[in-house]
């Protein structure tokens, strides 16, 4: 069970923030973030969230064979190599925000060499093609979710962290994510399917057709049906990671579109998980705004990113620390001896 | 003289960024920032901008006696004490982004105690009331600008930094800033005068009347006339800091509305200074968007901030480091052995 955060704790945090030496509300979104961090902690956080981990969930997608991506499927494994070597964007960003990058392999098509920051919980060498059949066998969905929970436990054993940023890697996975968002929100495929890594018009048409085919197979639109029909291994795995992190009351910084699709699955399983979500940014990918709205989340950043890899989530981590330091370290008007408004 | 950045260097940076292991353009605004950092450096930067200084320019405003602020004027000096003690918002944020906070006193009403992070270049104990007379005597304006250049030189001697974030403190200074923005852009006072720290309708009407009175005294609308009529000491001082920093090719991260007004003054003196400006965020203060548009700047963050103190500029510093690390540390598709688009 995931505990809902306590509105009374949030109200107390709000009251404290209103007494700090600044005009009320003048730190805008950072104030709201600080309130959420207090609510998650059940009071003033005990730390500034300087211990931060980034987990990138990787998996391959059968639908990638259907010409829905600008890149060939072997790029998933190649990019994972770059994440672990520190030569990809998330490596550069992680160093900029003083975080460590871990990769959870939920289903890359090829076996990956062991690495101390690779958590290998592979549940299959790529999903099936969602345009033709369920991406994940219905009776395997629970195991993928459990693999996510196991990945979280392994991460816990390997790294000390107070906040967790989540990202994704998987050629073809914007097709899965768009199908998931369409299924949960009732949006037409065309309104949530974007150009991903940069496909052309014909590729986009194939993507929409694939999503429509998967949607047509759904009947009850519960999370397990949607996870099975749409996949992917890394998306369902991420939902499991989220549930495990929220049970430990760890704030979860969501990257972009794919992670938002995973968040919709997690929220369908345990709605209280949403109290632990921090939306890092608004992606260029058109379906992301739809997913964020369904999750009732307002993103912190709007930098026209559309990479994935937790790149946007990484950039939001300093804002989490800033919010925590604001509420923990600033003095009130009374404490600082500063004259107040209206005196 | 401030050198314009070289478009050929920017183009070469753009070309390198397009070869890095990510879809083209997928890091959005961070890519544009990286191009600018390369253009400023004249090539790949030699470092990641981890050495960062924050300078908060402080000064008092005669117009504060006219009921245009929700706070009494003594708050300027009290808040400066908080900046130096580390108990204000900028202290919390600076620690979150690993930067040191310096204060330049350009004209606080009361003498300030010496401090190793206080740069005391006081040019007068507060400006005159711009609603009634020029805020700064016309023949004193050059000296205030020079005080800004001197403050920069002192900061250089006291701190090692590769990027400079600028902020402000001065009760009443949104009135000066709004008057400056109105004067440079031809906007009506009502479209650039906001609620600052949180004034009521009557206060806002007084603020607009004060701005209109100052505008009515202008004739040629050159920077020195505008600086003299509108003030304030810290705003004109900031313009001097900007010119000195740009001469050394140091990227300048602008905070909110008041710093943008100073940037308009600096750009009127030496238009090339704009090549060194990075707009950190879009403030809640309504005139800020007008100023940014006049400066042709697109802000990085939009967090509903309206505090000043360099709080927004501080939060943008990790993005500068992330952009530098992206262009300096990421491998290209060829270097990383990753399959490229369309293969």
């Amino acid at each position: 069970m995931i505990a809902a955060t306590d509105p009374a704790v949030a109200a107390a945090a709000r009251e404290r923030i209103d007494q700090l030496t600044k005009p009320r509300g003048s730190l805008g979104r950072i104030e709201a973030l600080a309130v959420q961090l207090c609510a998650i902690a059940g009071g003033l956080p005990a730390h500034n969230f300087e211990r931060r981990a980034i987990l990138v969930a990787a998996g391959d997608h059968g639908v990638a064979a259907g010409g829905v991506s600008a890149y060939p499927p072997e790029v998933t494994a190649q990019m994972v190599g770059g994440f672990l070597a520190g030569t990809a964007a998330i490596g550069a960003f992680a160093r900029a925000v003083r975080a460590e990058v871990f990769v959870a392999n939920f289903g890359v098509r090829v076996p990956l060499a062991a690495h101390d920051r690779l958590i290998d919980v592979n549940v299959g060498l790529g999903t099936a093609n969602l345009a033709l059949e369920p991406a994940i066998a219905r009776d395997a969905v629970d195991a993928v979710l459990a693999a996510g929970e196991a990945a979280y436990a392994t991460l816990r054993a390997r790294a000390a962290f107070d906040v967790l940023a989540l990202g994704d890697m998987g050629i073809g996975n914007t097709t899965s994510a768009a199908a998931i968002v369409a299924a949960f929100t009732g949006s037409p495929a065309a309104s949530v399917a974007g150009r991903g890594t940069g496909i052309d018009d014909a590729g986009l048409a194939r993507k929409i057709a694939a999503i429509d085919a998967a949607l047509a197979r759904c009947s009850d639109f519960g999370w397990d049906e949607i996870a099975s029909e749409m996949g992917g291994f890394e998306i369902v795995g991420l939902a499991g990671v989220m549930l495990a992190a929220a049970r430990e009351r760890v704030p979860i910084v969501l990257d972009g579109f794919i992670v938002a699709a995973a968040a919709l699955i997690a929220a369908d399983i345990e709605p209280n998980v949403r109290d632990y979500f921090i939306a890092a940014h608004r992606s260029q990918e058109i379906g992301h705004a739809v997913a964020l709205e369904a999750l009732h989340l307002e993103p912190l950043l709007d930098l026209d990113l559309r990479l994935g890899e937790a790149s946007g989530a990484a950039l939001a981590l300093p804002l989490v620390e800033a919010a925590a330091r604001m509420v923990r370290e600033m003095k009130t008007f009374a404490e600082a001896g500063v004259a107040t408004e209206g005196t």
Side-chain angles (χ1 to χ4, degrees), chain A:
Chain A
M1 270 294 294
I2 294 170
T5 59
D6 182 351
V9 173
R14 180 80 260 166
E15 196 173 338
R16 174 174 169 77
I17 291 166
D18 284 345
Q19 291 167 18
L20 300 175
T21 48
K22 57 173 190 54
R24 285 183 189 205
S26 60
L27 288 176
R29 304 291 314 287
I30 300 297
E31 297 189 16
L33 178 55
V35 168
Q36 183 185 6
L37 294 173
C38 290
I40 290 172
L44 269 188
H47 47 68
N48 294 321
F49 301 93
E50 291 173 83
R51 302 189 311 169
R52 41 189 74 147
I54 296 170
L55 184 67
V56 183
D60 272 309
H61 292 256
V63 73
V68 296
S69 175
Y71 291 85
E74 61 263 32
V75 166
T76 303
Q78 291 167 346
M79 288 304 299
V80 165
F83 302 160
L84 294 170
T87 59
I90 188 57
F93 285 10
R95 289 186 290 275
V97 302
R98 319 287 181 258
E100 259 200 313
V101 178
F102 292 81
V103 175
N105 175 18
F106 286 105
V108 177
R109 289 202 311 168
V110 295
L112 301 176
H115 189 288
D116 59 1
R117 286 181 287 101
L118 175 67
I119 299 169
D120 214 330
V121 283
N122 201 315
V123 289
L125 300 179
T127 57
N129 185 348
L130 67 88
L132 308 174
E133 58 184 322
I136 303 173
R138 185 67 173 264
D139 60 7
V141 166
D142 283 336
V144 184
L145 195 75
E149 297 173 312
Y152 181 84
T154 303
L155 181 65
R156 256 286 168 239
R158 292 201 200 168
F161 59 89
D162 304 312
V163 58
L164 179 61
L166 296 179
D168 72 284
M169 179 69 223
I171 296 300
N173 69 6
T174 60
T175 303
S176 273
I180 291 168
V181 173
F184 276 118
T185 64
S187 307
S191 71
V192 292
R195 299 200 176 257
T197 47
I199 47 167
D200 58 17
D201 288 348
L204 183 58
R206 287 191 294 271
K207 190 169 176 175
I208 290 169
I211 295 166
D212 280 334
L215 285 171
R217 293 193 305 268
C218 289
S219 55
D220 64 33
F221 292 90
W223 77 268
D224 45 354
E225 179 183 75
I226 293 171
S228 166
E229 295 296 346
M230 281 62 175
F233 290 139
E234 84 281 28
I235 298 177
V236 181
L238 276 170
V241 171
M242 291 171 191
L243 296 174
R247 273 182 216 121
E248 288 196 355
R249 305 187 75 104
V250 170
I252 303 162
V253 182
L254 309 178
D255 192 35
F257 183 46
I258 282 81
V259 177
L264 284 168
I265 293 174
D268 200 55
I269 298 170
E270 294 213 45
N272 288 340
V273 73
R274 290 184 303 185
D275 290 0
Y276 301 83
F277 289 160
I278 297 165
H281 75 111
R282 186 186 309 280
S283 165
Q284 276 184 48
E285 191 68 21
I286 61 165
H288 192 213
V290 176
L292 289 174
E293 196 183 353
L295 290 161
H296 306 291
L297 294 174
E298 185 72 29
L300 289 165
L301 301 169
D302 193 351
L303 293 165
D304 285 339
L305 310 179
R306 56 177 170 86
L307 178 59
E309 303 183 6
S311 52
L315 296 181
L317 289 171
L319 301 182
V320 174
E321 181 175 344
R325 287 187 181 271
M326 180 197 75
V327 70
R328 297 184 72 237
E329 299 176 357
M330 275 184 75
K331 283 194 176 171
T332 63
F333 280 96
E335 287 164 356
V338 173
T340 54
E341 259 173 285
T343 58

